[in-house]
Amino acid sequence: MVYRRTTSAHRDTHNLHGRVPAGPPLTLLQDVKRTLLALQNAPGAGKERELVRYEALMWVLNSDEELFFATAQHDLRSVLPMIYTPAVGTACLNYSHLSIPARGLWLGVDRAGSIETILANYKSEFPDVQVICVTDGERILGLGDLSANGHGIPVGKLLLYSACGGISPSACLPVTLDLGCDTDSIRDDNYYIGLRQKRVRGEEYDAFIDEFMKAAKKVFGRNCLIQFEDFANRNALRLLNKYKDEYCTFNDDIQGTAAVGLAGMLSALRMDGVPSSLNEHTFLFYGAGSAGIGIANLIVQELVRQGVNEADARKRCYFMDSKGLIYKGRGNLTPEKETFAHKVSDEVKAEAKNGIAGMVRLLKPTGLIGVSTIYNAFDTEVLEAMASLQRRPLIFALSNPTSKAECTAEAAYKATNGDAVFASGSPFDPVTIGDRTLVPGQGNNAYVFPGLGLGIVACKARHVTDTMILAAARRLAELVKDEQLAVSCVYPPLEELLDISAEIAHAVAMQAVEDDVAYAKDLPTLERVKQMMYAPGRGLTK
Ligand code: NAI
């Protein structure tokens, strides 16, 4: 429905008079402002309002893609939460009840054996696919197994690839692999859109994933990026390791999170009062799942790149999980945890189960990284213990949503007299301590994956190497300006995401060439990357 912007000349040449209202056409900027006003005035409150806006935006997307992306790019800070977290979580919980146009593909395990045909049919209508975001719907955000209802996640993620990374919407394909659902309330809902069966596991699961991967590579080409999203812990790392050397693939929950976490740490090194070398830091991770282990592994890779040997680099990271400190000889550790199980004294072992504050006093970490989903785990005692040991402790409470954060920005700043370098997964407002206003950094994956994806597409990468992820983290850290560091913020402003993505894409592409995994013969310049970007909202005056 672009009639509001149809010019007089267009009406003449396309015989549209009478088909559009006679009033003067709107400019794109006017149409964007009208859309934002409508969203601002959307009725209802809380989750009901999230759904109203989500449905409205999905229809705008369907009928007028240019307007949708121009609106998102014009006011990212407002629109991002309406199409991504938190609204997308509410949308997924209610997906079977929403009145929205279908987008992308649901591939049911009942169609096993026909996936290549389904993808080829899709390609005949949409020939430009270069990026696929795929989920099996088993761990949608922190909401559990939503299976087919989780489709909002690959849809939302790819909207961000376009809105924040400038990848053309026509190049993006969201896919949900429907292997059944183990959440009874979802599966038994009368209007549920997915297969009404329990989740398939074991060999049948692996065979279906394999069929999809092979078919996607065959139909869309060997450098079509396949991004895994929201797979359960039991499959996420396993599938990544299985496919990463054979396909162009990465897992944002593991690698994107790692890059954002490391970037926050690297930019903190430039702050007064923070030890300026990564190797001078010791991090205590509270939570040892995909996010924590992913960040720690990337810290290790960065240290190794700087010349530290791997065994010493691993000693910079300690972990606590639900059973207390992870140490050598604790027993029953997964292989991933085992690599961070260090020899500790008997005194540490005796304290290992007695909470974080004791561990802080004994291990003296410079940074505390919360990835446990335990609200308020970093209580005043813990925060004060950090402040008593470090002039400027790093306190990253990364668990999402806000209700799971290990501490609030205010608690971290108050307990440390404003000295903490705080970052979080969910947004917190600025906090004033004395005469200083401190701005919490939001470690949002959206800082990295759109640029990473753009870089991969721009250089036609064969694989996504760990060094490409590192390059993304380092570039993001470099983009943090002194004015952000001065207010204790370790990330750049979200409003600059399009330019940030271009910079990250360029760094990633350069690294891909260095790693000899790029098919493209000529490495695009930063200017060329910017020109390649789909950005209808860029340059619209405010
Ligand atoms: P996960 O389920 O893989 O890991 C959670 C970990 O927390 C497990 O090791 C578990 O043992 C530990 N844990 C649970 N209860 C605990 C307790 N009482 N004490 C100590 N440890 C405990 O989850 P994942 O994927 O690692 O995510 C963790 C959190 O990080 C989530 O809230 C997620 O939303 C958030 N996250 C944030 C991101 C960001 O800010 N950009 C990106 C990815 C995840």
Side-chain angles (χ1 to χ4, degrees), residues 139 233 253 257 286-292 320-322 337 371-374 398-400 425 443-445:
R139 199 236 63 196
N233 217 344
D253 304 310
T257 303
Y286 192 64
S290 323
M320 295 180 76
D321 63 9
S322 51
K337 291 183 184 178
V371 272
S372 64
T373 71
I374 306 297
L398 297 179
S399 288
N400 288 324
N444 191 321
N445 288 21

Side-chain angles (χ1 to χ4, degrees), residues 61-215:
L61 172 66
N62 193 55
S63 56
D64 191 346
E65 205 168 79
E66 182 187 36
L67 176 61
F68 176 90
F69 286 105
T71 306
Q73 289 173 345
H74 188 68
D75 192 352
L76 265 178
R77 201 172 276 278
S78 305
V79 176
L80 230 56
M82 299 183 202
I83 54 175
Y84 199 53
T85 48
V88 72
T90 313
C92 286
L93 285 170
N94 295 280
Y95 217 73
S96 295
H97 292 256
L98 297 183
S99 300
I100 52 172
R103 197 173 175 84
L105 291 170
W106 285 266
L107 301 176
V109 70
D110 59 331
R111 308 308 300 169
S114 319
I115 300 306
E116 188 184 322
T117 311
I118 297 173
L119 294 183
N121 288 342
Y122 186 88
K123 191 184 175 183
S124 62
E125 200 180 334
F126 304 98
D128 303 331
V129 173
Q130 295 178 74
V131 183
I132 293 173
C133 181
V134 61
T135 186
D136 72 349
E138 190 174 1
R139 199 236 63 196
I140 294 298
L141 304 169
L143 304 168
D145 184 357
L146 306 186
S147 195
N149 270 9
H151 195 63
I153 292 295
V155 168
K157 208 87 190 187
L158 287 168
L159 294 178
L160 266 59
Y161 269 98
S162 302
C164 313
I167 295 181
S168 166
S170 63
C172 298
L173 168 58
V175 172
T176 295
L177 302 176
D178 184 348
L179 290 124
C181 179
D182 281 351
T183 304
D184 297 348
S185 58
I186 297 283
R187 197 188 55 241
D188 297 341
D189 178 342
N190 279 342
Y191 297 99
Y192 178 51
I193 54 175
L195 291 175
R196 285 150 197 273
Q197 64 176 60
K198 287 263 191 190
R199 191 168 272 278
V200 158
R201 300 203 181 273
E203 280 177 22
E204 197 182 347
Y205 175 93
D206 282 1
F208 189 63
I209 303 282
D210 216 48
E211 181 184 345
F212 165 73
M213 294 299 285
K214 286 186 176 132

